[in-house]
Amino acid sequence: MADRVGDSRARHAEDPVDRSGPESPHGREPGPFSVARLWAGGAATALVAGLVSLTGLLTARDLFDVVVLAPKGPDAWGQAEVVTHALVAAACAFAATGLLEVLLPTTPDAVRSFTWIALLVAGLAAVLPLEPALPLGDRVATAVVNGAIGVAITACLRDVARRSRG
């Protein structure tokens, strides 16, 4: 039994992967990262963002009987608009992945910088499309759905960025 514990410790000491968490030097300084891992994670994040959009829109519309964004007429919330919102959410995830690709090799503490940028953009996305003329329920639904998409993108890509190093 003691030999197995010793072997495990020896293997862990030889393991080149840094598992010390966000305080590790790789999390603070620019360095090498896997572009393939980054974009694969970005694609998965785009899928998550689209699904958050779809879930939020359908929940707001079907459960709470409110609309997200301003409708243009009685048929404004057909399938095309729901799909369009989900595709725009996915495109935002890809744009955020591109931002990460720029930040990772050039910026000290790129993950923290990305997190601040992404959360501030998410906040803007939650409040900018709101019009005072819309009913309060519609405004709240828009803010919640857009904010949830932004937080999902930020949380997913923050982890993707950390795991693409090494």
Side-chain angles (χ1 to χ4, degrees):
M1 173 100 170
D3 289 336
R4 281 192 260 171
V5 172
D7 290 343
S8 174
R9 286 184 187 150
R11 279 194 304 265
H12 183 68
E14 296 171 4
D15 190 0
V17 177
D18 181 19
R19 291 186 172 91
S20 61
E23 297 300 321
S24 71
H26 292 291
R28 300 282 181 208
E29 299 172 7
F33 67 97
S34 170
V35 175
R37 275 187 181 176
L38 178 67
W39 282 100
T45 300
L47 178 62
V48 168
L51 290 172
V52 169
S53 169
L54 181 64
T55 303
L57 292 175
L58 295 177
T59 300
R61 181 183 73 187
D62 296 340
L63 189 61
F64 296 108
D65 198 29
V66 295
V67 294
V68 175
L69 304 174
K72 295 177 183 150
D75 296 334
W77 284 99
Q79 292 297 329
E81 284 74 16
V82 172
V83 171
T84 300
H85 198 269
L87 290 175
V88 168
C92 289
F94 282 120
T97 305
L99 174 64
L100 261 176
E101 186 176 9
V102 171
L103 291 176
L104 282 172
T106 60
T107 308
D109 204 358
V111 174
R112 183 172 297 184
S113 297
F114 169 77
T115 301
W116 274 103
I117 292 167
L119 287 176
L120 289 169
V121 169
L124 288 173
V127 298
L128 280 180
L130 303 181
E131 296 179 23
L134 290 175
L136 180 62
D138 295 356
R139 290 185 286 171
V140 170
T142 299
V144 168
V145 171
N146 288 350
I149 292 166
V151 169
I153 290 171
T154 303
C156 289
L157 286 180
R158 178 183 169 117
D159 289 341
V160 165
R162 288 188 173 139
R163 286 172 175 75
S164 68
R165 293 191 182 234

